[in-house]
Amino acid sequence: GENVEQHPSTLSVQEGDSAVIKCTYSDSASNYFPWYKQELGKRPQLIIDIRSNVGEKKDQRIAVTLNKTAKHFSLHITETQPEDSAVYFCAASGTNDYKLSFGAGTTVTVRA
Amino acid sequence: EAQVTQNPRYLITVTGKKLTVTCSQNMNHEYMSWYRQDPGLGLRQIYYSMNVEVTDKGDVPEGYKVSRKEKRNFPLILESPSPNQTSLYFCASRDRLGDQPQHFGDGTRLSIL
């Protein structure tokens, strides 16, 4: 099955700086890569996703890049703000694969 | 509004007293699953279902049961709860197409004394 590894496990950044979280996956058939943000005690919420026919996708301060050859994808948050503090999960799945395989999560803390 | 609804949101109970956490989705999704989340351990899948009457074990199924008699509902059953099942539980659903997002319920915080 798919195995997703996520790094770093914790990340502390100064407000206004950028944050980058990286994930690698094992199954070359995977073609869907979502990112979820989870605030304390709340449900994971989809913040951005990318499909394998695209190399990069942006949504305001958030961007995701995908390198299918190297089997890794990254989340980039620019101009970080205190409300970006949360746990972020990456995930991967294939077209014919119901299961979403999650990374272990990254706790992001934005220092004011 | 598209949503996954879990009940109860919070429950404190005692060891051995059977309990059921309900989950319902209104998006006509085929795939549903249950996760538990413990500090530092991420999201661990308990059970999943690919359609009505089709269920299978996830990564941590011990001590849990599920059923899928209707497409919209996927209850999680703890026949004899124990303290090590104290956790935050999430139900989720997803369309059969593998490149679609997964939607989570708001979570159920269970405390087993």
Side-chain angles (χ1 to χ4, degrees):
Chain A
E2 176 65 274
N3 181 45
V4 178
E5 294 191 354
Q6 183 172 347
H7 299 279
S9 57
T10 61
L11 181 60
S12 180
V13 296
Q14 190 70 35
E15 183 177 357
D17 287 350
S18 295
V20 180
I21 305 170
K22 298 182 179 180
C23 290
T24 60
Y25 61 98
S26 60
D27 189 350
S28 57
S30 289
N31 64 353
Y32 176 66
F33 308 93
W35 286 88
Y36 286 83
K37 175 183 179 182
Q38 186 182 25
E39 297 176 2
L40 192 62
K42 297 192 175 181
R43 63 185 170 96
Q45 290 196 288
L46 180 73
I47 55 172
I48 195 167
D49 57 10
I50 190 168
R51 294 168 177 81
S52 61
N53 58 344
V54 175
E56 183 177 2
K57 184 176 179 180
K58 288 183 180 180
D59 183 2
Q60 299 183 337
R61 296 186 297 107
I62 292 173
V64 58
T65 59
L66 171 65
N67 184 327
K68 286 221 74 178
T69 303
K71 289 191 281 187
H72 68 70
F73 56 112
S74 300
L75 178 72
H76 304 254
I77 307 173
T78 59
E79 300 173 13
T80 53
Q81 301 169 3
E83 54 263 38
D84 295 328
S85 295
V87 179
Y88 292 81
F89 292 97
C90 64
S93 75
T95 301
N96 297 316
D97 190 0
Y98 284 94
K99 182 178 180 179
L100 208 51
S101 296
F102 285 91
T106 297
T107 301
V108 174
T109 302
V110 179
R111 308 187 306 273
Chain B
E1 179 189 354
Q3 59 185 6
V4 179
T5 304
Q6 292 178 232
N7 280 296
R9 293 290 316 282
Y10 305 91
L11 180 62
I12 301 173
T13 188
V14 296
T15 299
K17 186 176 181 182
K18 181 180 178 180
L19 67 91
T20 298
V21 184
T22 63
C23 174
S24 180
Q25 51 94 4
N26 64 359
M27 294 166 279
N28 201 37
H29 286 167
E30 292 186 355
Y31 183 76
M32 297 185 74
S33 58
W34 277 101
Y35 298 85
R36 64 176 287 174
Q37 187 174 35
D38 303 290
L41 296 179
L43 294 161
R44 294 186 292 168
Q45 191 179 52
I46 303 170
Y47 267 94
Y48 64 93
S49 169
M50 291 191 288
N51 214 325
V52 176
E53 302 293 359
V54 181
T55 64
D56 209 344
K57 297 177 180 178
D59 301 317
V60 288
E62 293 76 23
Y64 304 94
K65 286 175 57 178
V66 292
S67 70
R68 188 91 180 274
K69 293 184 171 59
E70 304 165 285
K71 197 172 187 179
R72 64 182 291 126
N73 296 324
F74 189 45
L76 178 70
I77 304 156
L78 285 71
E79 293 270 4
S80 183
S82 62
N84 64 10
Q85 293 177 299
T86 292
S87 188
L88 178 60
Y89 291 85
F90 290 101
C91 180
S93 74
R94 193 177 185 209
D95 192 59
R96 63 180 178 86
L97 293 175
D99 65 350
Q100 297 300 310
Q102 178 160 275
H103 300 261
F104 286 88
D106 284 332
T108 296
R109 187 167 291 283
L110 282 183
S111 294
I112 316 294
L113 305 177

Short mmCIF file of all heavy atoms in Angstrom, two decimals, chain A residues 50-82:
data_model
loop_
_atom_site.label_atom_id
_atom_site.label_comp_id
_atom_site.label_asym_id
_atom_site.label_seq_id
_atom_site.Cartn_x
_atom_site.Cartn_y
_atom_site.Cartn_z
N ILE A 50 -3.81 18.89 -5.16
CA ILE A 50 -3.20 18.92 -6.49
C ILE A 50 -3.31 17.54 -7.11
O ILE A 50 -3.22 16.52 -6.40
CB ILE A 50 -1.73 19.40 -6.40
CG1 ILE A 50 -1.16 19.68 -7.80
CG2 ILE A 50 -0.85 18.41 -5.65
CD1 ILE A 50 0.16 20.44 -7.77
N ARG A 51 -3.53 17.51 -8.41
CA ARG A 51 -3.60 16.26 -9.13
C ARG A 51 -2.36 16.12 -10.00
O ARG A 51 -1.70 17.11 -10.32
CB ARG A 51 -4.90 16.19 -9.94
CG ARG A 51 -6.11 16.12 -9.01
CD ARG A 51 -7.43 16.34 -9.71
NE ARG A 51 -8.55 16.19 -8.78
CZ ARG A 51 -8.97 17.14 -7.95
NH1 ARG A 51 -8.37 18.31 -7.93
NH2 ARG A 51 -10.00 16.92 -7.13
N SER A 52 -2.09 14.91 -10.42
CA SER A 52 -0.77 14.63 -11.00
C SER A 52 -0.55 15.27 -12.36
O SER A 52 0.57 15.29 -12.85
CB SER A 52 -0.55 13.12 -11.11
OG SER A 52 -1.54 12.55 -11.96
N ASN A 53 -1.58 15.80 -12.96
CA ASN A 53 -1.38 16.45 -14.25
C ASN A 53 -0.95 17.91 -14.10
O ASN A 53 -0.83 18.64 -15.09
CB ASN A 53 -2.66 16.36 -15.09
CG ASN A 53 -3.85 16.99 -14.40
OD1 ASN A 53 -3.83 17.22 -13.19
ND2 ASN A 53 -4.90 17.24 -15.15
N VAL A 54 -0.74 18.33 -12.85
CA VAL A 54 -0.35 19.71 -12.56
C VAL A 54 0.90 19.69 -11.69
O VAL A 54 1.03 18.86 -10.79
CB VAL A 54 -1.49 20.44 -11.82
CG1 VAL A 54 -1.06 21.83 -11.40
CG2 VAL A 54 -2.73 20.49 -12.70
N GLY A 55 1.84 20.61 -11.94
CA GLY A 55 3.06 20.64 -11.15
C GLY A 55 3.01 21.59 -9.97
O GLY A 55 3.74 21.42 -9.00
N GLU A 56 2.14 22.60 -10.07
CA GLU A 56 2.06 23.59 -9.00
C GLU A 56 0.66 24.19 -8.99
O GLU A 56 0.01 24.34 -10.02
CB GLU A 56 3.09 24.69 -9.22
CG GLU A 56 3.12 25.73 -8.11
CD GLU A 56 4.21 26.78 -8.30
OE1 GLU A 56 4.93 26.72 -9.32
OE2 GLU A 56 4.38 27.64 -7.41
N LYS A 57 0.21 24.52 -7.79
CA LYS A 57 -1.10 25.14 -7.64
C LYS A 57 -1.02 26.16 -6.52
O LYS A 57 -0.40 25.89 -5.49
CB LYS A 57 -2.15 24.08 -7.34
CG LYS A 57 -3.58 24.59 -7.26
CD LYS A 57 -4.52 23.40 -7.04
CE LYS A 57 -5.96 23.84 -6.92
NZ LYS A 57 -6.86 22.67 -6.69
N LYS A 58 -1.64 27.34 -6.73
CA LYS A 58 -1.60 28.39 -5.71
C LYS A 58 -2.99 28.82 -5.34
O LYS A 58 -3.91 28.83 -6.16
CB LYS A 58 -0.83 29.59 -6.25
CG LYS A 58 0.66 29.40 -6.38
CD LYS A 58 1.33 30.70 -6.85
CE LYS A 58 2.83 30.51 -6.97
NZ LYS A 58 3.51 31.74 -7.44
N ASP A 59 -3.13 29.22 -4.08
CA ASP A 59 -4.37 29.80 -3.60
C ASP A 59 -4.00 30.83 -2.56
O ASP A 59 -3.74 30.51 -1.40
CB ASP A 59 -5.29 28.74 -3.01
CG ASP A 59 -6.63 29.31 -2.56
OD1 ASP A 59 -6.86 30.52 -2.76
OD2 ASP A 59 -7.45 28.55 -2.02
N GLN A 60 -3.91 32.06 -2.98
CA GLN A 60 -3.52 33.19 -2.13
C GLN A 60 -2.14 32.92 -1.52
O GLN A 60 -1.16 32.85 -2.26
CB GLN A 60 -4.60 33.43 -1.08
CG GLN A 60 -5.96 33.79 -1.70
CD GLN A 60 -7.02 34.10 -0.68
OE1 GLN A 60 -6.98 33.69 0.47
NE2 GLN A 60 -8.01 34.87 -1.10
N ARG A 61 -2.04 32.75 -0.22
CA ARG A 61 -0.72 32.58 0.41
C ARG A 61 -0.25 31.13 0.45
O ARG A 61 0.82 30.82 0.96
CB ARG A 61 -0.76 33.14 1.84
CG ARG A 61 -1.02 34.63 1.92
CD ARG A 61 -0.90 35.13 3.37
NE ARG A 61 -1.92 34.51 4.24
CZ ARG A 61 -1.66 33.60 5.14
NH1 ARG A 61 -0.43 33.14 5.33
NH2 ARG A 61 -2.64 33.12 5.91
N ILE A 62 -1.04 30.25 -0.07
CA ILE A 62 -0.72 28.82 -0.01
C ILE A 62 -0.42 28.29 -1.40
O ILE A 62 -1.10 28.65 -2.37
CB ILE A 62 -1.91 28.03 0.60
CG1 ILE A 62 -2.08 28.39 2.06
CG2 ILE A 62 -1.73 26.53 0.44
CD1 ILE A 62 -3.32 27.80 2.69
N ALA A 63 0.60 27.46 -1.50
CA ALA A 63 0.93 26.83 -2.78
C ALA A 63 1.37 25.40 -2.52
O ALA A 63 1.90 25.08 -1.45
CB ALA A 63 2.03 27.60 -3.49
N VAL A 64 1.12 24.55 -3.48
CA VAL A 64 1.59 23.17 -3.40
C VAL A 64 2.33 22.86 -4.68
O VAL A 64 1.93 23.28 -5.77
CB VAL A 64 0.42 22.19 -3.17
CG1 VAL A 64 -0.62 22.29 -4.26
CG2 VAL A 64 0.94 20.76 -3.05
N THR A 65 3.47 22.17 -4.55
CA THR A 65 4.24 21.74 -5.70
C THR A 65 4.33 20.22 -5.69
O THR A 65 4.32 19.59 -4.63
CB THR A 65 5.65 22.33 -5.68
OG1 THR A 65 6.31 21.93 -4.47
CG2 THR A 65 5.61 23.84 -5.74
N LEU A 66 4.41 19.65 -6.87
CA LEU A 66 4.45 18.20 -7.02
C LEU A 66 5.56 17.81 -7.97
O LEU A 66 5.66 18.36 -9.07
CB LEU A 66 3.11 17.69 -7.55
CG LEU A 66 3.03 16.21 -7.97
CD1 LEU A 66 3.23 15.30 -6.76
CD2 LEU A 66 1.69 15.94 -8.65
N ASN A 67 6.37 16.87 -7.55
CA ASN A 67 7.41 16.31 -8.40
C ASN A 67 7.15 14.81 -8.51
O ASN A 67 7.50 14.04 -7.61
CB ASN A 67 8.81 16.58 -7.80
CG ASN A 67 9.93 16.09 -8.70
OD1 ASN A 67 9.79 15.09 -9.41
ND2 ASN A 67 11.05 16.78 -8.67
N LYS A 68 6.51 14.39 -9.58
CA LYS A 68 6.12 12.99 -9.73
C LYS A 68 7.33 12.08 -9.93
O LYS A 68 7.32 10.93 -9.52
CB LYS A 68 5.13 12.83 -10.89
CG LYS A 68 3.74 13.33 -10.59
CD LYS A 68 2.68 12.39 -11.14
CE LYS A 68 2.56 11.13 -10.30
NZ LYS A 68 1.50 10.21 -10.77
N THR A 69 8.33 12.60 -10.56
CA THR A 69 9.53 11.78 -10.81
C THR A 69 10.17 11.39 -9.48
O THR A 69 10.55 10.24 -9.26
CB THR A 69 10.52 12.53 -11.69
OG1 THR A 69 9.87 12.89 -12.91
CG2 THR A 69 11.74 11.68 -11.98
N ALA A 70 10.31 12.38 -8.61
CA ALA A 70 10.94 12.15 -7.31
C ALA A 70 9.93 11.65 -6.27
O ALA A 70 10.33 11.30 -5.16
CB ALA A 70 11.60 13.43 -6.82
N LYS A 71 8.67 11.66 -6.60
CA LYS A 71 7.60 11.24 -5.69
C LYS A 71 7.61 12.05 -4.41
O LYS A 71 7.63 11.50 -3.29
CB LYS A 71 7.67 9.73 -5.42
CG LYS A 71 7.27 8.89 -6.65
CD LYS A 71 7.07 7.42 -6.35
CE LYS A 71 8.39 6.73 -6.25
NZ LYS A 71 8.28 5.27 -6.12
N HIS A 72 7.61 13.35 -4.58
CA HIS A 72 7.42 14.20 -3.41
C HIS A 72 6.62 15.43 -3.75
O HIS A 72 6.54 15.87 -4.91
CB HIS A 72 8.75 14.54 -2.71
CG HIS A 72 9.68 15.41 -3.48
ND1 HIS A 72 9.45 16.76 -3.72
CD2 HIS A 72 10.87 15.14 -4.04
CE1 HIS A 72 10.47 17.26 -4.40
NE2 HIS A 72 11.34 16.31 -4.60
N PHE A 73 5.96 15.97 -2.74
CA PHE A 73 5.15 17.17 -2.90
C PHE A 73 5.30 18.02 -1.64
O PHE A 73 5.61 17.49 -0.57
CB PHE A 73 3.68 16.84 -3.22
CG PHE A 73 2.99 15.95 -2.24
CD1 PHE A 73 1.96 16.44 -1.44
CD2 PHE A 73 3.30 14.60 -2.12
CE1 PHE A 73 1.28 15.63 -0.55
CE2 PHE A 73 2.64 13.78 -1.23
CZ PHE A 73 1.63 14.29 -0.45
N SER A 74 5.11 19.31 -1.80
CA SER A 74 5.38 20.24 -0.70
C SER A 74 4.28 21.28 -0.59
O SER A 74 3.66 21.66 -1.59
CB SER A 74 6.72 20.96 -0.93
OG SER A 74 7.78 20.04 -1.00
N LEU A 75 4.08 21.73 0.64
CA LEU A 75 3.16 22.84 0.93
C LEU A 75 3.98 24.05 1.30
O LEU A 75 4.90 23.96 2.14
CB LEU A 75 2.23 22.46 2.09
CG LEU A 75 1.24 23.55 2.52
CD1 LEU A 75 0.14 23.72 1.47
CD2 LEU A 75 0.62 23.21 3.88
N HIS A 76 3.67 25.17 0.68
CA HIS A 76 4.36 26.43 0.96
C HIS A 76 3.34 27.44 1.46
O HIS A 76 2.33 27.68 0.80
CB HIS A 76 5.02 26.97 -0.32
CG HIS A 76 5.95 26.01 -0.98
ND1 HIS A 76 7.32 26.15 -0.94
CD2 HIS A 76 5.71 24.88 -1.69
CE1 HIS A 76 7.88 25.15 -1.62
NE2 HIS A 76 6.93 24.36 -2.07
N ILE A 77 3.64 28.02 2.62
CA ILE A 77 2.79 29.09 3.15
C ILE A 77 3.65 30.33 3.23
O ILE A 77 4.69 30.34 3.90
CB ILE A 77 2.24 28.75 4.56
CG1 ILE A 77 1.55 27.38 4.56
CG2 ILE A 77 1.27 29.84 5.01
CD1 ILE A 77 1.14 26.92 5.96
N THR A 78 3.25 31.36 2.52
CA THR A 78 4.01 32.62 2.55
C THR A 78 3.35 33.62 3.50
O THR A 78 2.18 33.49 3.84
CB THR A 78 4.10 33.23 1.15
OG1 THR A 78 2.77 33.47 0.67
CG2 THR A 78 4.82 32.31 0.19
N GLU A 79 4.16 34.59 3.93
CA GLU A 79 3.67 35.66 4.82
C GLU A 79 2.82 35.09 5.96
O GLU A 79 1.67 35.48 6.16
CB GLU A 79 2.87 36.67 4.00
CG GLU A 79 3.67 37.32 2.89
CD GLU A 79 2.79 38.20 1.99
OE1 GLU A 79 1.64 38.49 2.35
OE2 GLU A 79 3.28 38.57 0.91
N THR A 80 3.41 34.19 6.69
CA THR A 80 2.64 33.48 7.73
C THR A 80 2.04 34.44 8.75
O THR A 80 2.62 35.48 9.09
CB THR A 80 3.52 32.45 8.45
OG1 THR A 80 4.71 33.10 8.92
CG2 THR A 80 3.88 31.30 7.54
N GLN A 81 0.89 34.02 9.26
CA GLN A 81 0.14 34.80 10.24
C GLN A 81 -0.19 33.89 11.42
O GLN A 81 -0.18 32.67 11.28
CB GLN A 81 -1.14 35.34 9.60
CG GLN A 81 -0.88 36.24 8.40
CD GLN A 81 -2.14 36.56 7.61
OE1 GLN A 81 -3.25 36.18 7.98
NE2 GLN A 81 -1.97 37.27 6.51
N PRO A 82 -0.48 34.46 12.59
CA PRO A 82 -0.78 33.62 13.75
C PRO A 82 -1.87 32.59 13.50
O PRO A 82 -1.81 31.47 14.02
CB PRO A 82 -1.20 34.65 14.81
CG PRO A 82 -0.45 35.89 14.43
CD PRO A 82 -0.42 35.89 12.93
#
